[in-house]
């Protein structure tokens, strides 16, 4: 059992926090401390007055002409719109729940709980209420992905009930969620996502340059909320800062152009300047020169790219001045990182790091785990190239009106590469692998040092567990999915690689003792190796050898540990153990060690937020003392 952070003594926890403060940036620590003090004392609420929405008219007007687009794109879209019309919403781009029409904006449909104080100021609400469950289950309906679905369906079908429902639900939301009241105002990033979806809906409905008073007022109050707390978002050193800065930039420039109210226009210009400053700042600080992002997460990297797409698209649309040269260099690097890490067969990617169900570029019918829409759109927009032939991943280009006819076709082929941001990509014939090594300038969220992810013919053979939920009903789920047991690496003495100090905070960040280059041997085999030492003095050297579709993972273990376990989490299928060999549907695994035990245990994985399923896990158990274990994967 991985120990909970509550089992760490207060003295040890204090020492661990002290060791961590300098890594977190003293300015951020000081600001967050002030921020929490201002919440507890009630001071912060005075910066965000409770207000009502004044404009009662429709948000969107009828369209004069329907849009013409490929019929194969329309079927799924119209089906989604009819589900929404029936009072169902899709959560995390995956699961439909009945929420009513209009929806109950304060319902957690996963457990039936409901926020009972929607009128309270957002600063007085606890976002980790154990009775309510995961607050993201409340927020999801108010991200307004349904707004874009209904707007797009109306644009291609001309069905008036799509527009009617769109306007009725938006009006109901303003009635039920007065400005700064209730849980849906709690998070500035959630407000930012509403801004993205509403402005893009205005684009789809050809009303972006002549919007309704109700829409302008709605966006303005959201910009006030975001701008008033932007320093807190920045202090997190994650995608909250990029998303909120982009919303200020887009919404501010848009309102400055379309609003007839001079006071609103002046304030909006201020918000736009602030947004541009912070967005450039965040991209410069959080995106490495090689494209790696501060959050070691594939889906959060997509959130970053989706945000950059919107920012650059609307900059061009509104004729705003270009961003800095470094902004475009880092955006292109972040794009190349994503291209390197997705599977070329199906567009999926390793389930690496936090996976909270976010997908901001929601203008297509592709699966949540298909990263091609983001990659294709970003590549055309920033680089004038495209990776894929025509397909459903092109739909965002259609809605944004981006002409890809002159885009140069680039091949999406796996290449061997070490990313200084903490990743090794290794390519064979029909297989490839990802390995995570420790390089932490920002907060790590998972104990996944030296995690090994293996792909073969589009199937994720050895896989990561994901996140499941940030505030699950079962405490074990909160511990498990971020623990070392949820990754394909070594666990010493049943302990995590880094001690857990809080829900989103790990201590004693591991740094690599050695990170090798990818080397070629005489026999055509390639090799990579790295070494780290954990905070208890245990040393782990992992080397990977590959040729054709044969992979060998070699682990050298040393240190004061009493026992260790190496786990490989397997793709769904039928498995059996025969001596030192595990036989599966895609090939077999052989383990070579002087003294070890092999068994299969049942683990869990979460490919989609709030959804988990069992997986088989190969566990190799080793005793104390220096050990060398070789695990060979033969794929066929």
């Amino acid at each position: 059992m991985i120990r909970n952070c509550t089992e760490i003594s207060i003295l040890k926890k204090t020492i661990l926090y002290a060791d961590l403060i300098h890594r977190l940036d003293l300015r951020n620590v000081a600001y967050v401390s002030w921020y929490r003090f201002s919440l507890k004392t009630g001071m912060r609420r005075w910066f965000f007055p409770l207000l009502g929405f004044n404009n009662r008219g429709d948000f969107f007007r009828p369209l004069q002409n329907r849009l013409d687009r490929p019929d194969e794109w329309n079927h799924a879209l119209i089906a989604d719109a009819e589900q929404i019309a029936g009072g169902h919403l899709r959560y995390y781009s995956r699961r439909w729940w009945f929420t009513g029409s209009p929806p109950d904006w304060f319902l957690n449909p996963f457990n039936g709980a409901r926020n009972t104080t929607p009128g309270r100021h957002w600063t007085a609400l606890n976002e980790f209420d154990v009775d309510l469950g995961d607050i993201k289950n409340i927020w999801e309906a108010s991200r307004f992905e349904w707004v874009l679905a209904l707007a797009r369906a109306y644009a291609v079908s001309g069905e008036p009930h799509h527009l009617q429902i769109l306007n009725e639900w938006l009006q109901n939301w303003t009635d039920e969620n007065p400005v700064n009241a209730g849980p849906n105002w709690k998070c500035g990033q959630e407000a930012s996502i509403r801004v993205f979806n509403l402005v893009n809906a205005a684009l789809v409905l050809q009303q972006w340059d002549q919007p309704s008073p109700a829409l302008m007022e709605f966006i303005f109050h959201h910009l006030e909320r975001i701008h008033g707390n932007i320093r807190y978002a920045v202090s997190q050193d994650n995608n909250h800062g990029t998303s909120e800065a982009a919303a200020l930039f887009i919404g501010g420039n848009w309102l400055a152009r379309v609003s007839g109210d001079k006071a609103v226009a002046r304030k909006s210009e201020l918000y736009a300047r602030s947004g541009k400053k912070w967005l450039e700042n965040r991209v410069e600080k959080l995106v490495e020169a090689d494209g790696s992002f501060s959050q070691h997460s594939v889906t959060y990297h997509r959130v970053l790219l989706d945000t950059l797409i919107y920012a650059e698209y609307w900059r061009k649309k509104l004729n705003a001045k270009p961003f800095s040269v470094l902004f475009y260099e880092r955006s292109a690097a972040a794009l190349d990182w994503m291209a390197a890490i997705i599977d070329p067969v199906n567009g999926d990617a390793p389930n690496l790091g936090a996976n909270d169900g976010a997908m901001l570029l929601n203008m297509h019918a592709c699966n949540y785990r298909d990263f091609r829409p983001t990659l294709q759109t970003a590549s055309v927009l920033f680089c004038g190239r495209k990776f894929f032939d025509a397909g459903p991943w092109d739909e965002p280009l259609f809605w944004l009106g981006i002409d890809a006819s002159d885009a140069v076709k680039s091949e999406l082929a796996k290449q061997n590469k070490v990313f200084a941001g903490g990743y090794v990509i290794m390519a064979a014939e029909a297989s490839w692998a990802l390995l995570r090594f420790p390089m932490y300038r920002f907060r790590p969220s998972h104990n996944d040092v030296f995690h090994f992810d293996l792909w073969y013919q589009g199937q994720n053979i050895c896989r990561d567990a994901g996140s499941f939920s940030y505030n699950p009903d079962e405490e074990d789920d909160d511990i498990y999915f971020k623990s070392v047991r949820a990754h394909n690496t070594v666990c010493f003495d049943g302990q995590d690689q880094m001690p857990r100090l809080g829900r989103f905070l790990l201590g004693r960040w591991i740094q690599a003792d050695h990170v090798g280059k990818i080397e070629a041997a005489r026999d055509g085999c390639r090799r990579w190796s790295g070494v780290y030492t954990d905070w208890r003095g245990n040393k782990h050297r992992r080397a990977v050898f590959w040729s054709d579709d044969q992979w060998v993972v070699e682990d050298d273990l040393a240190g004061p540990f009493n026992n260790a376990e190496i786990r490989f989490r397997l793709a769904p299928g039928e498995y059996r153990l025969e001596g030192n060999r595990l036989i599966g549907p895609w090939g077999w695994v052989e383990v070579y060690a002087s003294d070890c035990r092999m068994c299969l245990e049942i683990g869990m994985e979460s490919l989609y937020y709030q959804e988990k399923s069992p997986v088989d896990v190969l566990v190799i158990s080793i005793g104390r003392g220096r050990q060398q274990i070789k695990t060979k994967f033969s794929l066929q």
Side-chain angles (χ1 to χ4, degrees):
M1 177 70 178
I2 298 299
R3 292 182 181 175
N4 197 337
C5 61
T6 57
E7 295 178 337
I8 300 175
S9 70
I10 294 176
L11 176 60
K12 183 176 287 188
K13 202 170 182 180
T14 302
I15 294 172
L16 291 172
Y17 270 119
D19 172 71
L20 197 57
I21 285 176
H22 73 282
R23 297 178 182 271
L24 292 172
D25 190 325
L26 287 174
R27 292 168 299 178
N28 288 343
V29 172
Y31 185 84
V32 170
S33 298
W34 150 248
Y35 175 80
R36 290 178 177 171
F37 173 78
S38 68
L39 284 177
K40 283 193 172 183
T41 58
M43 295 169 55
R44 183 151 295 265
R45 69 171 298 168
W46 301 111
F47 304 136
F48 301 91
L50 294 173
L51 301 169
F53 290 95
N54 295 319
N55 288 287
R56 304 289 302 173
D58 287 342
F59 276 64
F60 298 106
R61 302 182 301 275
L63 266 177
Q64 298 302 315
N65 299 301
R66 292 170 50 188
L67 297 182
D68 184 26
R69 67 177 207 150
D71 288 338
E72 61 268 23
W73 289 358
N74 291 343
H75 299 307
L77 174 59
I78 299 302
D80 285 355
E82 292 305 317
Q83 282 257 60
I84 293 168
H88 295 81
L89 292 180
R90 183 162 50 202
Y91 281 66
Y92 310 115
S93 304
R94 175 66 171 175
R95 186 174 178 182
W96 291 92
W97 286 97
F98 179 75
T99 57
S101 181
D104 183 341
W105 307 111
F106 311 108
L107 173 69
N108 177 351
F110 289 86
N111 63 8
R114 189 178 187 276
N115 179 274
T116 57
T117 56
R120 292 185 68 186
H121 197 280
W122 66 262
T123 59
L125 297 174
N126 175 17
E127 61 189 283
F128 295 109
D129 184 340
V130 294
D131 295 325
L132 183 61
D134 195 334
I135 197 172
K136 281 177 56 61
N137 298 337
I138 304 290
W139 289 344
E140 187 70 5
S142 292
R143 283 194 164 189
F144 286 7
E145 292 185 8
W146 52 267
V147 167
L148 259 182
L150 288 172
R152 290 159 53 226
Y154 173 63
V156 299
S157 71
E159 290 292 338
H161 72 283
H162 293 151
L163 180 65
Q164 179 184 354
I165 292 167
L166 176 56
N167 282 320
E168 286 179 357
W169 285 20
L170 286 171
Q171 186 60 65
N172 181 262
W173 196 94
T174 63
D175 293 340
E176 298 292 324
N177 296 270
V179 179
N180 293 317
N184 292 315
W185 289 93
K186 181 75 175 173
C187 177
Q189 186 174 44
E190 299 302 311
S192 301
I193 294 171
R194 286 195 286 274
V195 170
F196 296 151
N197 283 322
L198 281 168
V199 172
N200 288 329
L203 173 74
V204 166
L205 297 176
Q206 304 170 38
Q207 298 167 31
W208 70 270
D209 53 348
Q210 292 182 317
S212 67
L215 179 59
M216 287 189 288
E217 182 191 21
F218 191 96
I219 297 295
F220 183 70
H221 283 313
H222 277 66
L223 298 185
E224 288 182 311
R225 163 65 182 87
I226 298 164
H227 186 261
N229 235 31
I230 186 64
R231 187 64 186 82
Y232 177 73
V234 168
S235 71
Q236 303 305 298
D237 280 340
N238 61 19
N239 59 33
H240 282 250
T242 54
S243 301
E244 294 182 39
L248 288 175
F249 173 77
I250 295 168
N253 277 303
W254 177 72
L255 273 179
R257 170 169 174 160
V258 301
S259 177
D261 186 318
K262 292 184 178 179
V264 168
R266 281 196 303 270
K267 266 197 168 181
S268 298
E269 289 174 354
L270 168 67
Y271 297 153
R273 289 195 298 271
S274 175
K276 183 178 183 181
K277 178 191 77 171
W278 283 118
L279 185 56
E280 290 179 336
N281 172 278
R282 296 293 82 196
V283 169
E284 177 181 355
K285 182 176 181 180
L286 304 182
V287 180
E288 304 286 344
D290 68 3
S292 305
F293 185 44
S294 66
Q295 291 176 287
H296 298 280
S297 159
V298 176
T299 53
Y300 278 171
H301 196 101
R302 176 169 61 186
V303 168
L304 168 72
L305 275 179
D306 289 349
T307 301
L308 299 180
I309 288 170
Y310 286 151
E312 174 63 3
Y313 171 79
W314 280 102
R315 182 201 67 76
K316 290 183 175 181
K317 190 77 172 176
L318 297 167
N319 296 316
K321 292 181 180 179
F323 293 107
S324 67
V325 172
L326 185 58
F327 173 91
Y328 291 109
E329 289 177 352
R330 295 292 169 85
S331 297
L335 165 65
D336 289 340
W337 185 95
M338 178 65 78
I341 210 166
I342 76 166
D343 185 78
V345 175
N346 55 24
D348 199 352
N351 199 15
L352 184 70
N355 176 6
D356 73 348
M359 183 174 65
L360 303 189
L361 190 69
N362 55 335
M363 298 179 173
H364 58 83
C366 294
N367 187 279
Y368 166 78
R369 296 209 56 87
D370 189 341
F371 291 78
R372 286 173 290 189
T374 290
L375 188 58
Q376 186 88 320
T377 306
S379 185
V380 172
L381 180 64
F382 285 106
C383 303
R385 66 183 184 188
K386 56 185 178 182
F387 286 104
F388 311 103
D389 293 328
W393 38 82
D394 289 327
E395 191 175 353
L397 294 171
F398 170 84
W399 290 113
L400 294 173
I402 299 175
D403 184 6
S405 59
D406 295 330
V408 177
K409 180 69 184 302
S410 296
E411 184 180 0
L412 188 67
K414 285 295 168 194
Q415 297 181 347
N416 295 303
K417 184 172 183 178
V418 177
F419 286 88
Y423 312 89
V424 186
I425 303 295
M426 298 165 273
E429 294 295 322
S431 59
W432 65 278
L434 162 78
L435 187 137
R436 274 280 296 117
F437 64 82
M439 197 299 293
Y440 298 123
R441 290 204 300 122
F442 306 97
R443 288 180 296 165
S445 62
H446 284 210
N447 280 279
D448 61 356
V449 176
F450 282 2
H451 167 80
F452 177 74
D453 222 83
L454 180 61
W455 293 70
Y456 178 56
Q457 296 181 342
Q459 186 179 16
N460 193 184
I461 301 301
C462 288
R463 52 204 11 217
D464 204 325
S467 299
F468 179 57
S469 173
Y470 290 161
N471 188 22
D473 294 333
E474 298 292 332
E475 184 182 5
D476 283 350
D477 286 335
D478 188 33
I479 298 169
Y480 174 78
F481 281 93
K482 298 173 185 176
S483 77
V484 68
R485 291 185 301 157
H487 303 92
N488 302 328
T489 186
V490 173
C491 175
F492 291 106
D493 292 325
Q495 301 285 338
D496 266 335
Q497 297 167 323
M498 295 170 280
R500 191 176 187 210
L501 302 181
R503 191 180 298 272
F504 301 111
L505 188 62
L506 299 175
R508 292 295 184 94
W509 299 354
I510 291 175
Q511 299 298 337
D513 300 331
H514 168 72
V515 175
K517 298 179 180 179
I518 295 175
E519 301 171 338
R522 292 179 182 177
D523 59 359
C525 180
R526 293 187 179 273
R527 175 184 184 273
W528 176 91
S529 67
V531 182
Y532 73 86
T533 305
D534 72 12
W535 68 300
R536 296 182 179 88
N538 297 306
K539 187 179 290 289
H540 180 197
R541 183 189 74 88
R542 172 162 277 189
V544 182
F545 305 83
W546 66 100
S547 177
D548 297 326
D549 290 316
Q550 306 292 316
W551 297 81
V552 176
V553 179
E554 183 178 273
D555 293 299
D556 281 314
L557 313 179
F561 65 91
N562 291 312
N563 57 76
E565 294 174 327
I566 302 173
R567 283 178 171 81
F568 293 101
R569 305 166 52 79
L570 306 170
E574 295 293 328
Y575 297 94
R576 70 180 188 274
L577 281 170
E578 294 182 355
N580 72 328
R581 175 180 284 200
L582 172 78
I583 299 173
W586 38 262
W588 61 88
V589 181
E590 295 168 299
V591 177
Y592 302 94
S594 59
D595 182 21
C596 73
R597 299 183 309 278
M598 293 171 58
C599 71
L600 282 173
E601 70 177 20
I602 300 299
M604 301 298 295
E605 71 172 359
S606 177
L607 296 174
Y608 304 89
Y609 197 68
Q610 286 289 357
E611 184 177 312
K612 60 182 179 179
S613 56
V615 293
D616 287 303
V617 182
L618 174 63
V619 183
I620 306 166
S621 301
I622 309 105
R624 67 171 61 192
R626 183 156 191 168
Q627 301 278 351
Q628 184 181 82
I629 305 94
K630 291 184 179 180
T631 309
K632 181 179 179 181
F633 293 82
S634 298
L635 308 176
Q636 64 177 22

